[in-house]
Amino acid sequence: NIEEEKALILSNMAETLAAGSDAEMSVRNLSDRLSAQTLEMRAKTNEVALHKEEVECLREYSQDRDALHARVQDTEQRLMIAMASINGKDAALMEKEQEISGKDERIKKLVESAWQ
């Protein structure tokens, strides 16, 4: 009876030790998986940070491009106004030239008639 009890106690102790070893192994496995997942999360976090930086750079580029486009449109409008002004001045100048040319012809005729 005592021997049976000793054997039973030893058997229980062996099972407890085995269960403890299994539990320890499970904890190690979980710890290893957790470490791997942590490394994965860090890598993904770094990747997300890089993408955020890229998006910010693209946003700044887009804003700069839009500002440049607005300046180009403003410059084009100013050039159109300047061209219209130049065309108006050209028309006025041509009119004055014709006026002067007509006066030159009259003066020339007057001089010719005076010499005759």
Side-chain angles (χ1 to χ4, degrees):
N1 232 340
I2 294 180
E3 290 299 320
E4 285 178 13
E5 281 186 37
K6 282 183 185 178
L8 187 58
I9 291 173
L10 286 174
S11 172
N12 284 340
M13 287 176 68
E15 283 180 20
T16 303
L17 280 173
S21 292
D22 288 345
E24 188 177 323
M25 184 61 78
S26 293
V27 168
R28 279 192 195 133
N29 288 339
L30 286 173
S31 178
D32 290 345
R33 285 190 1 223
L34 182 60
S35 293
Q37 287 177 348
T38 301
L39 288 174
E40 250 181 72
M41 287 299 290
R42 282 186 190 146
K44 288 182 180 185
T45 300
N46 289 339
E47 191 176 320
V48 166
L50 285 174
H51 286 301
K52 282 182 180 179
E53 287 177 21
E54 289 174 356
V55 166
E56 186 58 33
C57 285
L58 289 172
R59 184 177 293 123
E60 288 174 7
Y61 170 78
S62 178
Q63 290 171 344
D64 290 346
R65 187 196 64 220
D66 291 346
L68 180 61
H69 181 69
R71 286 195 302 265
V72 165
Q73 284 183 327
D74 182 56
T75 302
E76 285 175 345
Q77 287 177 344
R78 289 176 186 216
L79 284 172
M80 288 172 54
I81 291 168
M83 291 296 290
S85 175
I86 289 170
N87 288 339
K89 288 178 181 177
D90 280 348
L93 184 60
M94 288 174 67
E95 188 179 309
K96 289 290 182 188
E97 286 175 348
Q98 288 176 352
E99 212 176 283
I100 291 171
S101 178
K103 287 180 181 178
D104 282 348
E105 284 297 319
R106 280 184 268 162
I107 291 172
K108 189 176 178 182
K109 286 182 183 178
L110 284 172
V111 169
E112 285 177 2
S113 68
W115 281 101
Q116 292 179 356

